[in-house]
Amino acid sequence: MTTVHPGCSPRERGPEADPDVRRTDEIIDALARRRPVGEDADAVVRLLRALAADVDQRLSSVSITPST
Amino acid sequence: MTTCAIVAGIMPNVTEGCVADAKTGVRLATRSDESDLRDLTRLAVQGDRSAIESLLARLRPMVVRYCRARLGRVSGHYHIADDVAQEVCIAVLAALPRYRDMGRPFASFVFGIASHKVADALRSSVRSAVPTQDLPDGPDQGPGPEETVVRYIEAEHARALLSRLPENQRELIILRVVSGLSAEETGNVLGMSPGAVRVAQHRALARLRAMADVESIA
């Protein structure tokens, strides 16, 4: 848990505390966990979600046999 | 046990589509996961066969996703990327006996190797023949052709935009979004603090949005 000193301004807490930066982190976390993001109007979020889905895809010929 | 014996005995084939937990989603590493992984790594380095298998099972899906995102498809397939992912896993196994825990997560060691393997593959102009898939035994449970095409086009568009980012930002977004690493793990791979990762990913996303906006206007 991040402790935020009530007397500190966002500038003093650093760029990481910027609400926009934190919102982006939430979006990225949701994309990484393959969970709904709630930003369907955001074209870049949609594209990144498509990329994640594309690399996750499971086709046929899944093999767990040892290679030699 | 020699490395070759370990590799031959437990190394699964990373064939097209072999991302074991794709259906259940990606779980970001928690602090206890990192502790488990550290214990697992310690046992694996000592040659514990079941620890090596468990370690590989944890890491391989992330490596496959990373290689697929970086290398993309060739002739519509991920064979090349999956072959490189296989090479990464073999290289990790081969390097395991020499691995020393220096306090950084094992994932940073793995993605360091993956990054080099991907760079080698990108430099290589040799493209091997692309094997065709086996005929399916039953009905395909995957998305329909229209959804597949839309996803394919959007994924390629995402790759095109990512390719225009500075290398560090591209790597960061792929590790965070595609491989599912936490900000802490990504920072360890890239030599950044978690806070710097969060700021950099914000800037990267803003840059991607700006590029997408320019494209939509043009």
Side-chain angles (χ1 to χ4, degrees):
Chain A
M1 196 171 100
T2 304
T3 305
V4 177
H5 193 285
C8 290
S9 68
R11 187 182 179 84
E12 286 168 327
R13 290 197 296 267
E16 192 191 346
D18 184 313
D20 289 341
V21 171
R22 290 163 69 173
R23 176 61 194 143
T24 299
D25 195 43
E26 288 169 8
I27 292 170
I28 297 274
D29 263 355
L31 286 169
R33 292 167 195 263
R34 312 302 193 250
R35 288 180 182 161
V37 178
E39 299 273 342
D40 286 342
D42 188 326
V44 168
V45 170
R46 203 177 59 244
L47 293 177
L48 289 176
R49 191 170 51 209
L51 177 62
D54 193 59
V55 300
D56 283 350
Q57 74 173 288
R58 178 196 282 267
L59 301 178
S60 64
S61 65
V62 174
S63 171
I64 54 169
T65 54
S67 65
T68 52
Chain B
M1 184 187 296
T2 66
T3 302
C4 288
I6 293 170
V7 170
I10 67 162
M11 189 69 207
N13 286 324
V14 181
T15 55
E16 177 98 9
C18 188
V19 182
D21 58 351
K23 294 287 181 191
T24 54
V26 177
R27 205 164 56 88
L28 294 186
T30 63
R31 202 170 288 278
S32 68
D33 284 340
E34 285 175 17
S35 169
D36 289 349
L37 199 58
R38 181 154 291 172
D39 290 342
L40 213 49
T41 304
R42 185 174 46 77
L43 290 171
V45 168
Q46 291 168 2
D48 184 311
R49 191 183 170 89
S50 70
I52 293 170
E53 287 181 26
S54 300
L55 189 64
L56 198 65
R58 292 270 289 271
L59 295 169
R60 192 164 49 82
M62 291 192 288
V63 171
V64 173
R65 288 187 182 98
Y66 173 82
C67 292
R68 286 180 172 192
R70 289 290 312 274
L71 293 170
R73 296 168 184 268
V74 175
S75 303
H77 297 281
Y78 276 128
H79 292 106
I80 302 290
D82 289 354
D83 283 350
V84 173
Q86 180 87 332
E87 285 177 23
V88 172
C89 291
I90 291 170
V92 169
L93 284 178
L96 209 47
R98 300 190 303 277
Y99 174 76
R100 295 291 173 268
D101 185 353
M102 306 295 278
R104 298 174 68 196
F106 188 66
S108 66
F109 171 71
V110 173
F111 283 97
I113 291 174
S115 175
H116 282 106
K117 289 286 181 189
V118 166
D120 287 347
L122 289 170
R123 271 195 296 271
S124 170
S125 58
V126 179
R127 289 282 183 257
S128 57
V130 178
T132 55
Q133 281 183 257
D134 298 335
L135 285 173
D137 293 330
D140 187 356
Q141 302 295 325
E146 187 178 332
E147 190 183 336
T148 301
V149 168
V150 168
R151 188 172 68 190
Y152 176 82
I153 291 170
E154 288 189 333
E156 287 303 307
H157 190 183
R159 276 197 194 87
L161 288 178
L162 285 169
S163 73
R164 290 160 57 193
L165 283 179
E167 189 177 343
N168 201 47
Q169 286 188 353
R170 179 172 61 243
E171 191 79 354
L172 188 155
I173 293 294
I174 288 174
L175 289 171
R176 284 285 279 127
V177 173
V178 178
S179 295
L181 297 193
S182 66
E184 287 75 11
E185 287 174 322
T186 303
N188 274 304
V189 175
L190 299 178
M192 303 164 73
S193 69
V197 167
R198 293 189 177 99
V199 172
Q201 71 191 11
H202 177 68
R203 289 179 181 151
L205 222 60
R207 205 168 195 151
L208 289 171
R209 287 189 182 112
M211 288 191 289
D213 285 347
V214 168
E215 281 184 1
S216 68
I217 293 167

